[in-house]
Amino acid sequence: MNLPHEALKDPSRSGRRAGATACTTSPGTRLLIVDDEAEGRKLLAVMLAQAGMSCTTATNGAEALRILQREPVDAVIADLNMPRVSGLELLVQVRQFYPQQIFLMATGVDDVRVGMQAMREGADDYLVKPLAADMIVTSLERAFHKRQLEQEVTNYRQHLEEMVSARTLQLQNALARIERGYADTLDVLGAAIDLRDSQTGEHSRRVFLYSIEMLNALNGTPKQLKSLAMGARLHDIGKLAIPDAILFKPGPLTSEERKIMETHVQIGYDMVKRIAFLADAAEIILAHHERWNGSGHPQGLKGTDIPLAARIFAVADTVDAMTSDRPYHSALPFQAARIEIERNAGILFDSQVADVFLGIPNETWQAIRKPTSAIEISGVLAGISIENSCAAAALLGK
Ligand SMILES: [Fe+2]
C-alpha cells in the first residue's frame, strides 16, 4: 500500500489531536472516520487499524471540522446520513476550507444518484455499506494517486510559467539591447549629418528635441515618439549626397541649384525606406518640407495628408532655422520665431501644432537647445523620459 502523500497535505493543518479517539498509534495513513452510529464507527476503525492505518473518529460533522482544524489528516471517510450536519454538508465545508483533502462518502443506500451527487460535491469516491477494508484501501489508493497526478500537473504548470516568464524577460532584454544598438547608430548618423552641414551646427539634434517636446504635449504614443525622434534626427540625411558647392553656398541658390537641393528629401527617403525599423521615420523624412497649404515639396501635400510628425517637424525646423546663426542671417530671439509661427498658423503650419508650440514658454525652448552631450536619441528610443509630460525637460535631467 502506498497511501500517505506528504506533498498533498495542507501545511496550515497541524497540531496534536485532543479529545479524539485514536484506534491505533502505529504510523501510517491518518484517517478521520465520521459516523453518528457508534457500532459502525468502531467497527470501521478496528478494521482499518488492522490494515495499518491510524484512525481518529468523530460522531458528527461539527466534531470532524474541529479535528481537521487541529491536526493533519490524510483522508476523511464520512457517513452520508447523519443528524444536524449531513455527510454532504460536511463535504461542502471540507472542500471550501481544505480543497485538497481526500474525502470518501459512505452510504447505506446503493443508489447511483446518491453517489453521483456526492461526486458532484467533490467526493473522491463513494462507498456502499457494508464496508470492507480492501474496498476502502483500493478507493484510497485511487484517490491519492489522482491527487498526486493533479499535484504533478500543477507543479509542471508552475514550472512552465516560470520558464516562459524567464524566457520572456531574456527576449525583452535582448530586444532592448538591439533597440539600444539601433539608437546609438542613429545618434552617430545624426551627428555625422550635423558635422557635414557644419554651418547649421547641431540642427538635427535640436529639431529632434523640439519635435519630441511638442508631440509629447500632444500626448503622442511611445511608438509615435520613437518614429518622430528617428525621423527628426535623420531628416536631412539626403544632404550627404548634395554637392558642397550647393550645400555650402553662402548666397542665395539659383533655381537650378534649389532643385538639386530639394532632392535631398527623396534621396534621404530612398536611403532609409528599406530599413524596416526606420519605415515610419522614412515617411517623416519624405514629408519634412511639406507645408499645410500645399506650398511645400516634394509632393505638395496639404493639411492632414501630411503626417502629423512631419507637421510637428515643420514648426521645429522653422523655429531652429530662425533662432540659430546661419550664413545668411544671425540668430533671432525666440520671440521672433513665436511671432512667425503664430502668423503662419493655418497657412504653412498646422494650427493645432502651432498652438502647442506657442503654449510652451520660451524658457523651456531655451533650456532644450542648450548643448549637452547627455541628450541623445537613444534616451528616447530606450523609452526614457517619454512618459512624462515634459519629455525634453526630463531628457535634460530637470
Ligand atoms: Fe531638409
Side-chain angles (χ1 to χ4, degrees), residues 71-92:
E71 61 187 89
V73 168
D74 293 316
V76 175
I77 303 174
D79 188 39
L80 177 67
N81 296 311
M82 292 187 289
R84 294 203 299 275
V85 180
S86 72
L88 278 176
E89 289 167 332
L90 173 63
L91 172 59
V92 169

Side-chain angles (χ1 to χ4, degrees), residues 5 35 40 65 78 107 111 126 130 204 218 240 304 310 314-315 348 384 396:
H5 292 262
D35 196 341
L65 288 170
T107 171
D111 187 332
Y126 79 100
S204 79
L218 284 164
L240 293 173
T304 52
V315 172
L348 299 180
I384 300 167
L396 283 158

Side-chain angles (χ1 to χ4, degrees), residues 7-239:
L8 303 179
K9 284 180 269 174
D10 184 338
S12 66
R13 294 166 51 215
S14 61
R16 302 296 304 164
R17 61 176 177 242
T21 306
C23 62
T24 177
T25 56
S26 62
T29 305
R30 291 156 299 189
L31 300 180
L32 173 59
I33 298 165
V34 191
D35 196 341
D36 61 308
E37 292 179 9
E39 194 176 331
R41 191 170 66 235
K42 190 175 175 184
L43 183 66
L44 188 57
V46 169
M47 188 168 61
L48 293 173
Q50 286 174 348
M53 286 175 264
S54 172
C55 299
T56 301
T57 59
T59 58
N60 55 58
E63 186 186 2
L65 288 170
R66 285 196 296 275
I67 291 170
L68 287 171
Q69 280 182 328
R70 283 200 309 266
E71 61 187 89
V73 168
D74 293 316
V76 175
I77 303 174
D79 188 39
L80 177 67
N81 296 311
M82 292 187 289
R84 294 203 299 275
V85 180
S86 72
L88 278 176
E89 289 167 332
L90 173 63
L91 172 59
V92 169
Q93 296 204 42
V94 167
R95 276 289 158 266
Q96 182 179 354
F97 297 110
Y98 313 108
Q100 297 301 312
Q101 181 69 62
I102 302 292
F103 195 107
L104 306 184
M105 189 71 81
T107 171
V109 185
D110 187 5
D111 187 332
V112 172
R113 283 173 300 179
V114 173
M116 291 291 288
Q117 187 181 358
M119 300 291 276
R120 264 200 305 274
E121 296 292 345
D124 291 281
D125 204 355
Y126 79 100
L127 309 166
V128 180
K129 292 179 180 178
L131 301 178
D134 59 345
M135 175 210 305
I136 296 172
V137 167
T138 301
S139 183
L140 284 172
E141 284 190 332
R142 198 163 49 231
F144 279 122
H145 183 61
K146 179 167 165 271
R147 279 289 185 285
Q148 188 177 23
L149 290 177
E150 287 171 352
Q151 189 62 46
E152 284 172 3
V153 169
T154 301
N155 292 344
Y156 177 74
R157 188 179 297 130
Q158 282 174 348
H159 181 59
L160 201 63
E161 285 170 2
E162 285 167 10
M163 279 199 316
V164 169
S165 183
R167 291 291 296 158
T168 302
L169 188 62
Q170 283 176 355
L171 279 172
Q172 284 172 339
N173 288 338
L175 282 172
R177 281 196 297 276
I178 291 170
E179 195 160 69
R180 188 87 192 181
Y182 285 159
D184 289 342
T185 305
L186 289 181
D187 274 332
V188 171
L189 258 177
I193 296 164
D194 283 341
L195 276 176
R196 159 93 165 114
D197 194 357
S198 58
Q199 291 173 319
T200 53
E202 292 190 315
H203 169 67
S204 79
R205 185 182 146 277
R206 287 192 300 268
V207 291
F208 137 64
L209 290 171
Y210 294 162
S211 300
I212 289 295
E213 184 71 26
M214 283 186 273
L215 181 55
N216 206 54
L218 284 164
N219 297 317
T221 64
K223 183 175 183 291
Q224 287 176 315
L225 284 161
K226 287 181 181 183
S227 298
L228 178 54
M230 292 188 286
R233 196 70 165 109
L234 300 179
H235 70 278
D236 272 344
I237 192 169
K239 281 188 177 175

Side-chain angles (χ1 to χ4, degrees), residues 235-236 239 264-265 288-289 313 317:
H235 70 278
D236 272 344
K239 281 188 177 175
H264 79 275
V265 171
H288 80 272
H289 279 289
F313 177 85
D317 195 30

